[in-house]
Structures are given as C-alpha cells and as structure tokens.
C-alpha cells in the first residue's frame, strides 16, 4: 500500500487527488493531527451550520416572495429589490464595527453564536409581517447582525489553519452557502404543500417560522464549541499544550485586534492599498453573480407550478456547492489563475446567453445552471486574502471588512438600475452588465495574482520584521511543547 501511494504521489494528477482528501498528512506530528481533528469538529461543524442558516434566511425571502408573499403584501413593484437594499445597507454599516468585536480575544468565541440568536428572533418576526415596511426594517436588522458572519468566519479559519490546510476547509465551509439556499427551495416546496393555511398561516409565513426553529438551537452549539481566536481564553476541549501549539503554528504580530492604531498601521503599509482596490472585484463579483437567484422569477413568468418554481433553481445551488468545495480545495495545490479562468468561462457563457434571452428554454436552463460555477469565486478569493495576511488579526480583519464594505456599498444601488424587479424576468440591462462585470472581475484578479507575489519579493523586510517579532513567542511555545512531551 505504501508503494502504491508513493507511486501515485509521483504523478501530478495523482498527487493533486491525494492532496484533496489528505487533511491530516502523515508527516505531521501526532499532536498536530489530533489538534486539527478537534479544530475541524469545532470550527467546521458550527461554522458550516451557521453559514447554512444565514443563506437559508437570505434565500427564504425570494422563495417567500414567489410563493404568496408578493400577493399578501401587495409587493408588485420593486419591493423585492428594496428588501435587498435594506439588507445590504445595514450589512455595510455593520462590517467594521462587528469585525472589530470579532478580533477581540475575549469576545471572539461568543460573538457569532450570540448574533445567531438574534437571526432566529428576526426570522420569527418576519413570519408576522403585514406591511412591506415591516420587512424593510427586519431585513435591515438581519443585515446588520449578519455583517460579521462571512468575513468573521474567514478570520477564524485563517487564524487556526495554515495555507495548505485553509483552502480545503474553506471550501467545505462555503458549501453551507449553497446548501442553505438549496434547502430553502425544498423546504418552501414542502411547506407550501403541507402547511399552507395550517393555523391560519400562509406557506411563506411557515417558511420563516421553520427557519427560526432551525437557527436557534444551532446557536447554542456555537456557545459550546466555537473557539474564537488562538489567543482567546482556552476552550474546554483543548489542552493547554494544544492551545500553545496552535499559537506556534500560526504566530501573530499583535493581540489587540482592530483598534485606532490598526487603521494607522494598516493604511501606512502598502498591503491595504494593494488588496482593497485590487479586490474591487468583490463588487464586480456581487454584480456579476447577482442574477443567479432570479431563475425563480423566470419560471414564475413561464407559468410553472409553485412546487417546481421552488425546486428547479436548487440545482444551481447544488452545482454552486460542489464547485465551491472543489475549486477552493484545488486552489491550494493548482494554479489560482487557471481555476479562476475555468469558473469565469462558465459564468461568462451563461451571462451572454441570458443577455440574448430569446433562445430555446433548454439553453436557458443550461445558462442558469452554469451560474452555479460562480460558487468557486468567493471562497477562492477570500482564502487567498486570508493566506496573504495571516500574521496580524487586526490588519487582516480590517482589510477583509473593508473589502466587504466597498463591495456591498455598490451592491446597494447598482441592482436597482440593472435588475429592477419590474423588468423581470428578462432584465435587458442586468445580464449585459453582468457580462461586462464578469470579464472585469476576471481581468482584475489576473492582475492581482501576477502583481502581489512580485510586490512581496520587492519588500522582504516586511516578512523579516514579522518573523523577528514572533521569535520570542515561538521559543516560549516550543519549550512548553517539549516539556509536555517529556511528561
């Protein structure tokens, strides 16, 4: 068996396949493999379930809209866009404040679980709305309290896992996005069939109630297992030696998180000015992939049943889940530019077909489903940022939240002009704009992946400074680990 594995590893394709599934390499010490298994159970289980709940809630609004909420709330104009505008506006406002809390060692283990309790309460409230302005307020509250979910979880992942470990785990975690959206479709179809009218509530109201019932208990799982940062107080399932080993594996320059000094420090270094403008494809990504949620509007206009309207778009989410896992996993061992080009080609083709619009329905299905390959983009992008900025919690958190802020600032208003609900399902301006943005997103990332390694080579003193600042901490941790082994 050993000879067979050795032979497979010598072949390039075989080595890649083994790397995808080899989460605990044999060359790692036993203590390190044990630590990784604990971290996977603690971070990936709750992180994925939490992400699942968040995107279940996001997709529920669209599914509720096409399943009776539009008629009950008389939302025949651009209300669906306004729901998203309310969410995105609050999401932008909450980015840096909540990320600041996420970088605080004592708060980090409990922030996301606490916020998730609020998500559940808001979901229950959404089941009782009778006016559109009620939903605007509730979507804004949801957006604010979900602001640190995405970037904050990326911060936690990047704080515990090395580069070669991070991409695989980010791919698994990001599947919660697509699976949450996919499950929402099946959930709404089942609820509409079995619960519509039960207890005097419409099917779309039951959808929000069930969402809250799912979300609430998962938050308590987070209180028990979510680890926070390696510098946070030790959780019950980690030994002191394992906590110190985790800090040795990924040493940091600072332990205060985001402070006013962080802004001065980060803006005085070129990294922010390189990453944030370069990663303006976060905005392009949001716009280029915005349309993938609108297959349901086309199906409704074509006269499909409510059940099919909720089920058929879930195959987009299935492809998005598979592609996000596969693309992010492979990004750790293959060319980032090659993978990005691979996913962009599918989405670019889909945007062109939908821009033309007057094509056979079968080709429209292919185009919408090809949109599922957009799932590769975001986890690859943020994992790359995380691995580039891994020595400083505050700087990394500030840059990730700055990227999210700039991206969603644009998503607040641009879809109102490119994807107004009254132009559904054809969106004559939206798909054309998405085609241009998809090409722009690909071009900017190609430039970024070419430029940033060259910048690092020209500034080796930055890495040397970080290494020198970590020397004393590394030595102390090594002594503790060695002593523990002797015991």
């Amino acid at each position: 068996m050993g000879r067979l594995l050795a032979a497979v590893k010598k072949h390039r394709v075989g080595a890649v396949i083994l790397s995808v599934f080899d989460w605990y390499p044999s060359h790692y010490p036993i203590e390190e493999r044990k630590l990784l298994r604990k971290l996977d159970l603690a971070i990936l289980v709750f992180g994925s379930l939490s992400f699942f709940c968040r995107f279940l809630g996001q997709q529920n609004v669209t599914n509720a809209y096409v399943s009776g909420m539009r008629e009950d709330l008389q939302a025949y104009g651009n209300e669906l866009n306004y729901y998203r505008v309310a969410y995105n506006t609050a999401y932008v406002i909450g980015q840096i404040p909540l990320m600041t809390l996420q970088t605080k060692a004592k708060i980090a283990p409990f922030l996301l679980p606490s916020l998730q309790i609020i998500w559940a309460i808001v979901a229950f409230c959404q089941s009782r709305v009778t006016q559109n302005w009620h939903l605007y307020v509730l979507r804004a509250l949801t957006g604010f309290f979900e602001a640190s979910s995405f970037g904050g979880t990326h911060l936690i992942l990047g704080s515990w896992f090395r580069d070669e470990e991070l991409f695989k785990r980010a791919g698994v975690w990001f599947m919660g996005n697509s699976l949450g959206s996919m499950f929402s479709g099946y959930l709404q179809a089942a609820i509409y069939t079995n619960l519509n009218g039960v207890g005097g509530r419409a099917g779309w109201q039951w959808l929000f109630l069930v969402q809250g019932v799912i979300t609430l208990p998962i938050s308590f799982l987070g209180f028990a297992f979510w680890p926070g940062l390696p510098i946070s107080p030790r959780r019950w399932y980690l030994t002191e030696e394992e906590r110190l080993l985790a800090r040795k594996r990924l040493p940091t320059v600072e332990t205060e998180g985001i402070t006013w000094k962080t802004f001065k420090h980060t803006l005085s270094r070129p990294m922010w000015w390189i990453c944030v403008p370069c990663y303006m494809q976060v905005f392009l990504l949001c716009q280029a992939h915005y349309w993938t949620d609108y297959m349901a509007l086309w199906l409704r206009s074509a006269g499909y049943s409510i059940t099919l309207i909720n089920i058929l778009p879930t195959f987009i989410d299935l492809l998005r889940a598979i592609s996000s896992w596969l693309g992010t996993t492979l990004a750790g061992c293959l060319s980032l530019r090659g993978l990005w080009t691979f996913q962009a080609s599918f989405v670019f083709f889909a945007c062109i077909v939908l821009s033309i619009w007057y094509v056979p329905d079968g080709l429209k299905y292919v185009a919408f489903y090809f949109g599922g390959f957009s799932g590769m983009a975001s986890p690859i992008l943020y994992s790359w940022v995380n691995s580039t900025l891994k020595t400083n919690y505050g700087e990394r958190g500030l840059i990730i939240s700055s990227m999210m802020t700039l991206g969603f600032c644009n998503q607040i208003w641009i879809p109102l002009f490119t994807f107004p609900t009254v132009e559904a399902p054809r969106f004559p301006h939206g798909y054309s704009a998405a085609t241009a943005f998809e090409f722009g997103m690909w071009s900017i990332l190609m430039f970024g992946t070419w430029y940033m390694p060259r910048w690092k080579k020209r500034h080796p003193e930055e890495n040397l400074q970080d290494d020198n600042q970590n020397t004393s901490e590394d030595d102390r941790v090594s002594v503790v680990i060695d002593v523990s082994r002797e015991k």
Side-chain angles (χ1 to χ4, degrees), residues 12-27:
R12 183 177 180 182
V13 176
V16 169
I17 293 174
L18 286 179
S19 174
V20 168
F21 299 100
D22 187 14
W23 282 35
Y24 311 104
S26 57
H27 65 270

Side-chain angles (χ1 to χ4, degrees), residues 248-379:
K248 179 188 176 184
R249 280 165 36 88
L250 287 169
T252 59
V253 177
E254 55 79 40
T255 59
E256 295 182 1
I258 297 177
T259 64
W260 288 114
K261 293 180 181 178
T262 306
F263 286 84
K264 181 179 179 180
H265 170 77
T266 302
L267 296 177
S268 68
R269 287 155 54 99
M271 191 64 73
W272 192 96
W273 302 100
I274 292 172
C275 287
V276 175
C278 180
Y279 293 133
M280 276 300 289
Q281 67 258 41
V282 175
F283 143 60
L284 299 176
L285 183 150
C286 293
Q287 176 63 21
H289 300 161
Y290 189 91
W291 54 271
T292 58
D293 291 335
Y294 283 160
M295 184 181 183
L297 298 180
W298 167 57
L299 294 173
R300 182 183 177 97
S301 70
Y304 285 78
S305 69
I306 294 295
T307 300
L308 288 178
I309 289 173
N310 283 288
I311 290 179
L312 289 176
T314 63
F315 294 107
I316 298 177
D317 299 309
L318 178 61
L319 282 171
R320 187 180 286 131
I322 295 172
S323 66
S324 65
W325 168 75
L326 186 61
T328 314
T329 300
L330 293 178
C333 52
L334 294 180
S335 166
L336 186 69
R337 284 189 282 183
L339 285 170
W340 196 275
T341 300
F342 173 79
Q343 78 86 25
S345 62
F346 282 93
V347 180
F348 192 66
F349 171 81
C351 290
I352 291 176
V353 170
L354 294 174
S355 296
I356 299 171
W357 189 255
Y358 296 109
V359 298
D361 284 356
L363 190 55
K364 281 182 185 174
Y365 275 107
V366 171
F368 275 113
Y369 290 146
F370 272 11
F373 285 94
S374 64
M376 295 177 66
S378 189

Side-chain angles (χ1 to χ4, degrees), residues 209-224:
L209 285 172
V210 173
Q211 173 195 335
V213 170
I214 293 173
T215 302
L216 189 59
I218 292 175
S219 65
F220 298 114
L221 186 68
F223 283 111

Side-chain angles (χ1 to χ4, degrees), residues 452-479:
M452 289 192 66
R454 287 162 175 76
W455 177 84
K456 279 190 168 185
K457 288 181 180 179
R458 290 200 300 268
H459 298 84
E461 69 279 359
E462 297 289 340
N463 295 328
L464 289 174
Q465 179 184 2
D466 291 350
D467 291 341
N468 290 335
Q469 286 182 285
N470 284 300
T471 299
S472 60
E473 175 68 12
D474 286 355
D475 292 342
R476 185 178 68 82
V477 173
S478 297
V479 170

Side-chain angles (χ1 to χ4, degrees), residues 21 56 82 124 138 155 184 222 248 287 317 325 376-377 410:
F21 299 100
L56 174 65
Y82 299 149
F124 291 135
L138 293 173
L155 179 76
S184 174
K248 179 188 176 184
Q287 176 63 21
D317 299 309
W325 168 75
M376 295 177 66
N410 289 285

Side-chain angles (χ1 to χ4, degrees), residues 71-142:
E71 290 75 14
D72 290 349
L73 299 186
Q74 298 296 302
Y76 294 109
N78 281 331
E79 286 84 359
L80 181 59
N81 281 106
Y82 299 149
Y83 302 151
R84 293 193 173 198
V85 168
Y87 176 93
N88 290 334
T89 302
Y91 192 77
V92 167
I93 294 172
Q95 281 297 320
I96 292 178
L98 290 180
M99 181 64 85
T100 299
L101 295 178
Q102 188 66 70
T103 62
K104 304 301 180 182
K106 293 183 179 180
I107 299 175
F110 311 109
L111 179 65
L112 185 55
S114 299
L115 294 175
Q116 191 159 329
I117 292 178
I118 300 177
W119 304 354
I121 294 172
V122 173
F124 291 135
C125 293
Q126 286 178 157
S127 72
R128 304 296 297 172
V129 297
T130 57
Q131 301 290 331
N132 280 298
W133 71 266
H134 296 165
L135 200 52
Y136 297 151
V137 172
L138 293 173
R139 293 309 294 160
L141 288 174
T142 303

Side-chain angles (χ1 to χ4, degrees), residues 164-285:
E164 63 271 19
E165 304 156 359
L166 175 62
F167 282 93
K168 302 172 187 178
R169 288 157 174 85
V172 171
W173 165 67
F174 202 83
M175 288 177 71
N177 166 354
S178 305
L179 294 177
S181 299
M182 181 179 175
F183 183 72
S184 174
Y186 295 126
L187 186 64
Q188 178 61 60
I191 287 174
Y192 190 86
T193 302
N194 300 301
L195 291 178
N196 190 35
V198 174
R201 291 186 173 89
W204 65 267
Q205 292 177 308
W206 278 106
L207 183 64
F208 291 123
L209 285 172
V210 173
Q211 173 195 335
V213 170
I214 293 173
T215 302
L216 189 59
I218 292 175
S219 65
F220 298 114
L221 186 68
F223 283 111
F225 292 98
W226 193 237
L229 299 168
I231 58 172
S232 295
R234 180 173 62 87
R235 302 311 305 270
W236 62 271
Y237 51 84
L238 292 177
T239 65
E240 182 63 22
E241 290 76 16
E242 288 171 337
R243 187 177 74 91
L244 293 173
L245 174 59
R247 295 179 65 178
K248 179 188 176 184
R249 280 165 36 88
L250 287 169
T252 59
V253 177
E254 55 79 40
T255 59
E256 295 182 1
I258 297 177
T259 64
W260 288 114
K261 293 180 181 178
T262 306
F263 286 84
K264 181 179 179 180
H265 170 77
T266 302
L267 296 177
S268 68
R269 287 155 54 99
M271 191 64 73
W272 192 96
W273 302 100
I274 292 172
C275 287
V276 175
C278 180
Y279 293 133
M280 276 300 289
Q281 67 258 41
V282 175
F283 143 60
L284 299 176
L285 183 150

